[in-house]
């Protein structure tokens, strides 16, 4: 059973305080001004990709849906806001009955995106939409950064599996979200049991150096592990001398030894030597797993090495140098009155320093070439051109406050693999460059 499909709440009473103070003070001012009920459209987008990246990956959408469902100002939360005098009593009364009853459209999770892509579109009254800004950005910025790093690593790894093992390198709750995002980006397993429990991601793990050091000698440690887990286990062979450890591992487990793990040294050189030694000892089917501060560049450098799987921690959960996507949440259209039938007018931030935005409620489509390969991200505010109607990207996620697009994580993972495959081949290059396709405004 995939528990993510059940829409289980996050492990806090409410997500309502995952927000910034000024969201509530804006709400109070809008209520007093009579503008809070004006129909509004907010969009999430990024003005640019992280330096050198050629595409982004949408991840965290499923978590956003959970967060919106659980955005409730319960008695304890209202009491905290009253005690701190964050907003006045009228605003507290409004918050006590808050439920998001608007609509949310977005790129389906796992899809790729580019500068300007309207990754998420939130529609409703100004009051109900503005409150969601921080929690939405918090989730999407984090998860999309991890998924983008994971996607690059998966491209570098080719068909070789990737193990997410970064829980000890980040906040304990962020680790669970990072594992989920890594799975979306192409990782196959995680070492984090909380992620396995919450999202049904396959979990793996055997032993660390501490287990070897616990025993009087390496042979005793290997024997204890094989006795417990069977000869198909993975033995860690770099606590002392790798050559001696490999010999001992095969003597203890036999040629059916599942794998050996190398966690230090010149991985390219050591992997070749270990493969040769394993083959000479008759353990021709024993696999080699490498860890040790890997990133996409290190993985790519091992493409010609006899490596069967990679374990990645620190670089993955920190976005491989880009821990955020710099996504923003901007008001792009609003009505001139609270009349639900009042037409929407485009609004936009006009400022210097590259922080301007494009107004209007947008659609997006990815135009393919004659071979079905993406050639442009097309964004517009008017009617969708007929030739792009079958290539629109936004799907309905929440309708009238109800989630309508929750889906299994494996579906999301498969979607990303397909979306990446439709990009030009240069998308998988690790050398720095611009976005692999241009953004055009219709």
């Amino acid at each position: 059973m995939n528990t993510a499909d059940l829409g289980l709440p996050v492990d806090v009473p409410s997500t309502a305080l995952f927000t910034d103070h000024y969201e509530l003070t804006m709400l109070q001012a809008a209520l007093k001004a009579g503008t809070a009920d004006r129909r509004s459209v907010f969009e999430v987008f990024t003005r640019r990709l992280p330096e050198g990246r050629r595409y982004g990956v949408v991840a965290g959408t499923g978590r956003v849906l959970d967060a919106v469902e659980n955005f409730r100002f319960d008695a304890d939360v209202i009491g905290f806001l009253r005690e701190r005098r964050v907003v006045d009593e009228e605003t507290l009364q409004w918050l006590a009955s808050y439920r998001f009853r608007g609509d949310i459209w977005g790129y389906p999770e796992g899809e790729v995106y580019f500068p300007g892509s309207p990754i998420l579109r939130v529609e409703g009254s100004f009051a109900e939409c503005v409150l969601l800004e921080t929690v939405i950005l918090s989730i999407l910025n984090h998860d999309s950064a991890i998924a983008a790093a994971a996607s690059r690593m998966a491209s570098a790894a080719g068909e070789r599996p990737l193990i997410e093992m970064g829980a000890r390198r980040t906040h304990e709750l962020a680790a669970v979200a990072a594992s989920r995002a890594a799975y979306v980006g192409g990782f196959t397993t995680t070492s984090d049991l909380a992620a396995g429990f919450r999202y049904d991601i396959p979990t793996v793990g055997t032993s660390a150096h501490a287990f070897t050091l616990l025993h009087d000698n390496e042979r005793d440690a290997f024997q204890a592990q094989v006795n417990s887990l069977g000869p198909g286990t993975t033995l860690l062979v770099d606590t002392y001398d790798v050559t001696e450890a490999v010999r001992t591992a095969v003597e203890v487990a036999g040629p059916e030894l599942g794998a050996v793990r190398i966690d230090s040294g010149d991985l390219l050189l050591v992997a070749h030597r270990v493969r040769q030694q394993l083959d000479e000892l008759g353990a021709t089917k024993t696999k080699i797993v490498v860890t040790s501060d890997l990133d996409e560049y290190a993985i790519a450098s091992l493409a010609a090495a006899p490596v069967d799987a990679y374990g990645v921690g620190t670089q993955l959960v920190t976005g491989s140098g880009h821990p955020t996507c710099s996504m923003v949440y901007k008001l792009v259209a609003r009505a001139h009155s609270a009349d639900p039938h009042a037409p929407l007018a485009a609004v936009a931030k006009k400022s210097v320093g590259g922080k301007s935005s494009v107004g209007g409620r947008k659609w997006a489509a990815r135009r393919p070439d004659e071979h079905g390969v993406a050639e442009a991200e097309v964004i517009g505010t008017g009617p969708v051109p007929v030739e792009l109607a079958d290539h629109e990207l936004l799907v309905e996620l929440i309708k009238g406050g109800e989630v309508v697009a929750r889906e299994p994580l494996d579906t999301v993972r498969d979607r990303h693999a397909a979306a990446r495959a439709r990009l030009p081949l240069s998308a998988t290059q690790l050398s720095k460059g611009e976005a692999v396709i241009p953004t055009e405004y219709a």
Side-chain angles (χ1 to χ4, degrees):
M1 179 182 66
N2 190 335
T3 55
D5 297 341
L6 303 179
L8 298 177
V10 294
D11 294 329
V12 292
S14 165
T15 55
L17 291 183
F18 290 163
T19 192
D20 286 307
H21 187 118
Y22 80 166
E23 310 291 6
L24 301 190
T25 53
M26 278 194 289
L27 169 65
Q28 176 177 303
L31 287 171
K32 288 185 177 300
T35 54
D37 291 330
R38 289 186 176 183
R39 191 158 57 102
S40 300
V41 180
F42 286 82
E43 288 177 353
V44 175
F45 62 93
T46 184
R47 296 181 176 94
R48 63 192 67 83
L49 296 176
E51 183 182 0
R53 296 290 172 88
R54 296 171 183 261
Y55 63 92
V57 181
V58 179
T61 307
R63 296 208 308 120
V64 167
L65 300 182
D66 290 344
V68 172
E69 280 190 329
N70 290 284
F71 205 89
R72 303 282 189 269
F73 291 85
D74 57 28
D76 289 340
V77 172
I78 293 294
F80 165 77
L81 297 174
R82 179 179 289 116
E83 179 185 349
R84 294 294 182 92
R85 298 182 179 180
V86 175
V87 288
D88 61 21
E89 196 62 33
E90 178 185 355
T91 305
L92 291 176
Q93 294 302 315
W94 190 94
L95 291 172
S97 60
Y98 176 85
R99 299 290 187 275
F100 179 75
R101 296 183 175 87
D103 303 329
I104 296 181
W105 291 69
Y107 280 37
E109 189 167 13
E111 184 57 84
V112 297
Y113 70 87
F114 298 93
S117 297
I119 296 163
L120 204 71
R121 191 175 72 215
V122 183
E123 305 182 32
S125 71
F126 175 84
E128 64 182 335
C129 295
V130 75
L131 295 180
L132 299 177
E133 175 181 6
T134 303
V135 69
I136 286 176
L137 288 179
S138 176
I139 293 171
L140 292 181
N141 267 313
H142 174 269
D143 290 24
S144 297
I146 305 305
S151 180
R152 285 161 59 85
M153 293 174 188
S155 292
E159 297 301 316
R160 297 172 178 175
L162 290 158
I163 307 163
E164 185 280 312
M165 46 195 304
R168 64 191 61 193
R169 300 297 189 226
T170 188
H171 185 279
E172 65 273 18
L173 295 182
V176 181
S179 180
R180 181 186 183 281
Y183 192 70
V184 170
F187 275 60
T188 54
T189 54
T190 180
S191 66
D192 192 313
L193 289 175
F197 175 78
R198 179 68 180 85
Y199 296 113
D200 201 28
I201 301 170
T203 59
V204 294
T206 51
S207 68
H209 294 290
F211 185 76
T212 301
L213 296 170
L214 169 68
H215 294 79
D216 294 338
N217 55 63
E218 204 164 38
R219 180 178 294 272
D220 288 349
F222 288 172
Q223 189 66 64
Q225 185 173 327
V226 170
N227 289 345
S228 175
L229 302 177
T233 190
T234 300
L235 296 175
L236 181 58
V237 295
D238 71 326
T239 305
Y240 304 119
D241 179 78
V242 173
T243 301
E244 183 61 32
V246 171
R247 182 182 301 111
T248 302
V250 176
E251 289 175 357
V252 170
E256 296 79 25
L257 174 62
V260 295
R261 179 163 74 94
I262 306 166
D263 189 49
S264 60
D266 184 336
L267 297 179
L268 178 62
L269 176 62
V270 175
H272 277 287
R273 288 178 175 174
V274 168
R275 180 74 271 160
Q276 180 179 355
Q277 186 182 8
L278 287 170
D279 291 345
E280 291 172 351
L281 293 171
T284 56
K285 295 183 179 179
T286 299
K287 295 180 178 180
I288 298 175
V289 180
V290 295
T291 52
S292 185
D293 293 327
L294 298 177
D295 61 10
E296 60 265 48
Y297 302 102
I299 291 169
S301 73
L302 293 169
V307 171
D308 297 287
Y310 306 93
V312 189
T314 302
Q315 291 301 318
L316 175 66
V317 298
T318 57
S320 194
H322 297 288
T324 182
C325 302
S326 299
M327 293 179 186
V328 294
Y329 183 97
K330 297 297 181 185
L331 181 66
V332 296
R334 53 90 172 171
H336 287 288
S337 73
D339 182 344
H341 303 294
L344 291 171
V347 294
K349 178 180 179 180
K350 303 295 183 184
S351 63
V352 296
K355 297 189 72 173
S356 61
S357 58
V358 178
R361 180 181 185 272
K362 300 174 194 66
W363 52 263
R366 189 162 301 140
R367 188 176 67 237
D369 64 14
E370 65 272 20
H371 304 292
V373 178
E375 66 175 13
E377 190 89 339
V378 186
I379 300 168
T381 57
V384 180
V386 174
E387 66 273 17
L388 294 177
D390 292 335
H391 304 289
E392 287 193 77
L393 292 163
L394 278 78
V395 298
E396 195 166 31
L397 302 171
I398 292 180
K399 181 179 178 63
E402 298 295 326
V403 174
V404 296
R406 188 170 276 114
E407 55 190 353
L409 198 56
D410 282 332
T411 299
V412 175
R413 188 171 184 271
D414 292 344
R415 178 182 294 121
H416 174 63
R420 188 176 62 200
R422 290 191 292 268
L423 295 177
L425 285 175
S426 56
T428 60
Q429 291 179 340
L430 297 181
S431 57
K432 291 185 177 181
E434 299 299 320
V436 71
I437 61 174
T439 299
E440 300 176 0
Y441 288 92

